[in-house]
Amino acid sequence: MNGEFLQAIEQICKEKGIEKETLLEAIEAALVSAYKKNFGTAQNVRVNMDRDTGAIKVFALKNVVEEVDDEFMEISLQDAMKISPNYTLDDMVEIEVTPKNFGRIAAQNAKQVVVQRIREAERMIVYEQYLEKENEVISGIVQRIEKNNIFIGLDRTEGILPANEQMPNEAYHVNDRIKVYITEVRKTTKGPQITLSRTHPNLVKRLFEMEVPEIVNGQVIIKSIAREAGSRTKIAVFSPNKDIDCVGACVGQRGIRVQQVVDELNGEKIDIIKWNDNPKEYIANSLSPAKVLDVVVDEEDKAARIVVPDNQLSLAIGKEGQNARLAAKLTGWKIDIKSQSQYESYIDNKEL
């Protein structure tokens, strides 16, 4: 333990972003434990490392008393005054007890502490790096599959894609490169725990942001997303600039932009609809690709009755009710769909 050791500590602290004094205090605390363990003592001790030379000294701390009951913890006033005439009762006396061979033990323990603190610092750096990326999309490589959980290799760490965050129509294989959405970053003793998703609606949002510059610069705004992962997504968009076709911007020339998102989502169908502050128009748009004849809204209950042509009823409802369900999720309105003949019959019966 010498000046070169301190220089090495200083260099490590700069590279790893660790406070030098914090590291030295941790080394001193570890050396206290090492001293007690190796020399079988119950003494109250303090270890001091000289900040300039690296020299290490061990001091026994003893309380000044009139009569000594515990020689490890106490010293008589008479003996204390031999060290310094200024000591009085209840003072704490420090007596150097540095063993001759303590340097080797100190070096070994100091190395362990430094390695441990470096690991902790690196874990903290990775944690903070990914905490900033929470709610963002990143690329990763499938590393392994354990108990239906997929472990994704990321830069300097790995994340977990739980079974409930995996798309039902996807098969995952080791070395596959995929885009994932970071839902949560938690600090643990083993480093950051990063939870990923392929099913989150915001994955679709972030993918569109990557493909559509107008979304990034604020010319097109994503107002709402409703998703049944692996099957279908509806996304409502709006532009504050009347000269911009918000749906066309998201679709892209010959559909290239939306196709990039569809490909990344393994063929998931995407309906891009125009948001409108008029509930009737917005709800009608939300049922795309079905054509809507009329929308009757109940503002108080936020419920809407939609009338579609007879040949469009199954399209409006969708397979197993999916289209209607997603439209309701997207708009936040309860939706009841009727064919034109059903609605006319309903009106006639009501009049009767």
Side-chain angles (χ1 to χ4, degrees):
M1 305 294 283
N2 51 34
E4 288 181 7
F5 175 76
L6 287 179
Q7 287 175 3
I9 289 283
E10 199 162 325
Q11 184 65 29
I12 287 167
C13 289
K14 283 180 182 177
E15 289 175 0
K16 303 297 181 181
I18 308 170
E19 287 288 334
K20 181 183 175 183
E21 188 58 30
T22 302
L23 183 53
L24 291 177
E25 286 173 2
I27 290 171
E28 288 173 339
L31 295 183
V32 169
S33 300
Y35 174 82
K36 290 184 176 182
K37 179 181 176 183
N38 284 275
F39 296 95
T41 178
Q43 282 178 298
N44 186 14
V45 298
R46 178 178 74 85
V47 173
N48 179 69
M49 178 186 291
D50 190 289
R51 295 323 191 235
D52 295 320
T53 66
I56 289 175
K57 291 182 179 180
V58 183
F59 297 93
L61 308 179
K62 296 189 177 186
N63 190 37
V64 179
V65 295
E66 283 187 359
E67 191 174 332
V68 174
D69 291 324
D70 183 347
E71 63 179 14
F72 287 115
M73 308 297 286
E74 298 170 339
I75 186 172
S76 68
L77 178 60
Q78 186 179 355
D79 288 340
M81 291 181 72
K82 289 177 184 176
I83 299 169
S84 170
N86 297 324
Y87 281 123
T88 60
L89 289 174
D90 293 327
D91 280 351
M92 191 64 73
V93 177
E94 291 191 349
I95 304 167
E96 186 179 350
V97 291
T98 311
K100 287 183 181 179
N101 63 340
F102 192 60
R104 178 183 55 80
I105 296 167
Q108 187 179 1
N109 280 271
K111 181 182 177 183
Q112 289 173 353
V113 171
V114 170
V115 169
Q116 182 185 351
R117 287 302 169 112
I118 288 171
R119 283 177 185 156
E120 289 173 3
E122 288 177 337
R123 285 170 185 160
M124 181 57 71
I125 290 166
V126 173
Y127 168 74
E128 290 173 353
Q129 175 189 341
Y130 281 93
L131 189 63
E132 289 179 2
K133 294 181 179 179
E134 204 171 55
N135 304 319
E136 297 294 335
V137 167
I138 57 170
S139 289
I141 297 173
V142 175
Q143 301 278 38
R144 64 188 193 280
I145 301 167
E146 293 178 7
K147 296 179 181 177
N148 296 324
N149 293 321
I150 315 292
F151 290 86
I152 309 294
L154 308 173
D155 180 30
R156 301 177 68 184
T157 187
E158 69 175 15
I160 183 170
L161 183 64
N164 63 331
E165 298 291 349
Q166 297 166 24
M167 284 168 57
N169 64 329
E170 282 187 335
Y172 302 93
H173 306 97
V174 173
N175 293 328
D176 281 355
R177 177 172 285 276
I178 58 172
K179 286 188 172 74
V180 284
Y181 179 78
I182 300 177
T183 58
E184 185 183 30
V185 179
R186 289 176 56 221
K187 191 190 296 182
T188 73
T189 53
K190 295 180 179 178
Q193 181 177 304
I194 303 166
T195 306
L196 309 170
S197 176
R198 286 280 293 169
T199 64
H200 201 288
N202 281 349
L203 172 62
V204 181
K205 182 179 181 181
R206 295 292 184 229
L207 291 174
F208 269 102
E209 288 172 354
M210 291 176 182
E211 299 297 333
V212 185
E214 291 87 344
I215 294 175
V216 178
N217 63 31
Q219 291 180 307
V220 173
I221 299 165
I222 296 173
K223 285 285 194 176
S224 181
I225 295 178
R227 186 181 185 205
E228 292 189 2
S231 181
R232 194 180 204 110
T233 287
K234 285 185 181 287
I235 177 169
V237 295
F238 168 77
S239 176
N241 185 340
K242 293 181 180 178
D243 295 330
I244 291 177
D245 175 8
C246 54
V247 174
C250 293
V251 172
Q253 283 189 342
R254 292 190 290 276
I256 192 167
R257 289 176 173 176
V258 69
Q259 192 57 48
Q260 292 280 10
V261 178
V262 169
D263 290 346
E264 178 57 43
L265 298 177
N266 203 26
E268 185 172 314
K269 293 176 183 174
I270 297 177
D271 299 330
I272 304 171
I273 67 140
K274 189 173 182 179
W275 180 87
N276 198 301
D277 57 4
N278 181 326
K280 286 189 176 184
E281 290 192 35
Y282 184 30
I283 292 166
N285 292 345
S286 75
L287 285 163
S288 172
K291 294 177 182 177
V292 173
L293 296 175
D294 193 17
V295 179
V296 181
V297 297
D298 181 343
E299 295 272 2
E300 190 175 331
D301 290 337
K302 216 171 181 187
R305 179 172 285 115
I306 290 89
V307 183
V308 298
D310 287 11
N311 65 352
Q312 295 272 301
L313 181 61
S314 60
L315 183 63
I317 294 171
K319 187 179 179 181
E320 297 177 350
Q322 185 184 65
N323 197 52
R325 192 165 57 246
L326 285 172
K329 246 190 235 183
L330 188 76
T331 60
W333 284 69
K334 297 172 190 171
I335 290 177
D336 177 28
I337 304 173
K338 294 193 179 296
S339 67
Q340 188 173 11
S341 57
Q342 285 173 337
Y343 185 67
E344 286 171 357
S345 175
Y346 164 77
I347 294 296
D348 289 344
N349 290 333
K350 198 173 179 183
E351 288 175 353
L352 289 172

